[in-house]
Amino acid sequence: MKTLALGTVSFFVFCLLQEHVPLRLVSGKEEIKSTSTGSGQPMSPSDFLDKLMGKTSGYDARIRPNFKGPPVNVTCNIFINSFGSVTETTMDYRVNVFLRQQWNDPRLAYREYPDDSLDLDPSMLDSIWKPDLFFANEKGANFHEVTTDNKLLRIFKNGNVLYSIRLTLILSCPMDLKNFPMDIQTCTMQLESFGYTMNDLIFEWLEEQEAVQVAEGLTLPQFILRDEKDLGYCTKYYNTGKFTCIEVKFHLERQMGYYLIQMYIPSLLIVILSWVSFWINMDAAPARVGLGITTVLTMTTQSAGSRASLPKVSYVKAIDIWMAVCLLFVFAALLEYAAVNFVSRQHKEFMRLRRRQRRQRMEEEVVRESRFYFRGYGLGHCMHVKDGSAVEGPRVYSPPQPTPFLREGEAILRCYIDRAKRIDTISRAVFPFTFLVFNIFYWVIYKVLRSEDIHQAP
């Protein structure tokens, strides 16, 4: 009986051991597995992003960082990839830039992932908060999507966010064309917040040396982009509040090589060509008139062409003064021949007047001396009584000899022709000298004095 009782107890203890030992082993494996997962293996990027900004993370892209706290400071810098056409008629310019913005979002700070920064797909931009930056003087813009969206998103371990985007912008640039084409234009680019006031958002430039960078070898067709670029603030005050704004000013110095070849030199040659008429004989009226009219019409066409590519401004430009003076010289050369021709023909009027006066004087003398002379009947005399004797009066009327009169006419003709030739001779010296004086004043004023004033202007 004792042996049977001991066997029964041993079997019962064995069964209990068979039930409880596997449970302890399984629980031990789960504990080991969970420990290795938490410390031994890194978290996958997908799990990390879900934890950082997923639906279960509690991150809300609609709320700015530091909500109800200090404003978010956004640091901006620009890399100019290309500086395109500057158009005077519409007063704007085209530029291709990389716009980079950097700010701190404490909600995106992490420690679980070993890398110091993460470069994320542009599609993740919709999952985070971004500044509402826009270009205040923008007239047109477009994004670049070839071959994919040209956007960059980088998140750092401390919560800093770097957002870069490539843009092509058409920006307004009010121009002062008084010194055109020897002018220096200042074009601005303004970056402003649209919806957040300065209580929530503040824009500021990166370090001055790196705030605006230009691609190496960047050239413009008509301008030289100066190295100095003025950075500043342009805070805007509206009815809706005070909004942050930063700006950069580009200084563009125009190269006048194109205008020198296409406008200044041709108009100069046309003016010189009009002076050729001073050496043509004044009797060659068709040649001198044709040359004068041709130069006037050519100069008018040249002047109209210079204004075709410029806006209709109310003030006078440097090119307008040049074209107007050139047209004035050409027109004066045509009027000079009109004066020469008029003076050379004045002897005919003078001789006609002298002939009329001489005829009247002769007729008065005839009437006074031979009151009873009848030319029609050939009665050449009548009797006069003198001391009681008959004295025969003058016989047949004989007109005076024309020889002295002809000599006088030749002298007068020679005098007036000499006067006309003297006008041509004086014009040969006066016109070039006057035009030379105008050129000295023109180029000194616009290339030296006005240029110094522009350089000294703030």
Side-chain angles (χ1 to χ4, degrees), residues 12-22:
F12 181 76
V13 172
F14 177 79
C15 291
L16 290 176
L17 291 174
Q18 291 290 333
E19 291 178 359
H20 290 281
V21 171

Coordinates of all heavy atoms in Angstrom, one line a residue, residues 12-22:
F12 N 1.8 12.3 -10.0 CA 1.1 13.6 -9.9 C 2.1 14.8 -10.0 O 1.9 15.8 -10.7 CB 0.3 13.6 -8.6 CG -0.5 14.9 -8.4 CD1 -1.6 15.1 -9.1 CD2 0.0 15.9 -7.5 CE1 -2.4 16.3 -9.0 CE2 -0.8 17.0 -7.4 CZ -2.0 17.3 -8.1
V13 N 3.2 14.7 -9.3 CA 4.3 15.7 -9.3 C 4.9 15.8 -10.7 O 5.1 16.9 -11.2 CB 5.4 15.4 -8.2 CG1 6.5 16.4 -8.4 CG2 4.8 15.5 -6.8
F14 N 5.1 14.7 -11.4 CA 5.6 14.7 -12.7 C 4.7 15.5 -13.7 O 5.1 16.2 -14.6 CB 5.9 13.3 -13.2 CG 6.4 13.2 -14.6 CD1 7.8 13.5 -14.9 CD2 5.6 12.9 -15.6 CE1 8.2 13.4 -16.2 CE2 6.1 12.8 -16.9 CZ 7.4 13.0 -17.2
C15 N 3.4 15.2 -13.6 CA 2.5 15.9 -14.4 C 2.5 17.4 -14.2 O 2.4 18.2 -15.1 CB 1.1 15.3 -14.2 SG 0.9 13.6 -14.7
L16 N 2.6 17.8 -13.0 CA 2.6 19.3 -12.7 C 3.9 19.9 -13.3 O 3.8 21.0 -13.9 CB 2.6 19.5 -11.2 CG 1.3 19.2 -10.5 CD1 1.5 19.4 -9.0 CD2 0.2 20.1 -11.0
L17 N 5.0 19.2 -13.2 CA 6.2 19.7 -13.8 C 6.1 19.8 -15.3 O 6.6 20.8 -15.9 CB 7.4 18.8 -13.4 CG 7.8 18.9 -12.0 CD1 8.9 17.8 -11.7 CD2 8.3 20.2 -11.6
Q18 N 5.5 18.8 -16.0 CA 5.3 18.9 -17.4 C 4.4 20.1 -17.8 O 4.5 20.6 -18.9 CB 4.6 17.6 -17.9 CG 5.6 16.4 -17.8 CD 6.7 16.4 -18.8 OE1 6.6 17.0 -19.8 NE2 7.8 15.9 -18.4
E19 N 3.5 20.5 -17.0 CA 2.6 21.6 -17.4 C 3.2 23.0 -17.2 O 3.0 23.9 -18.0 CB 1.3 21.5 -16.5 CG 0.4 20.3 -16.9 CD -0.8 20.2 -16.0 OE1 -0.9 21.1 -15.1 OE2 -1.6 19.3 -16.2
H20 N 4.0 23.2 -16.1 CA 4.5 24.5 -15.8 C 5.8 24.8 -16.4 O 6.1 26.0 -16.7 CB 4.6 24.6 -14.2 CG 3.3 24.6 -13.6 ND1 2.5 25.8 -13.5 CD2 2.6 23.6 -12.9 CE1 1.4 25.5 -12.8 NE2 1.4 24.2 -12.5
V21 N 6.7 23.9 -16.7 CA 8.0 24.2 -17.2 C 7.9 24.8 -18.6 O 8.6 25.8 -18.9 CB 8.9 23.0 -17.2 CG1 10.2 23.2 -18.0 CG2 9.3 22.6 -15.8
P22 N 7.1 24.3 -19.6 CA 7.0 24.9 -20.9 C 6.5 26.3 -20.9 O 6.9 27.2 -21.6 CB 6.1 24.0 -21.7 CG 6.2 22.7 -21.0 CD 6.4 23.0 -19.6

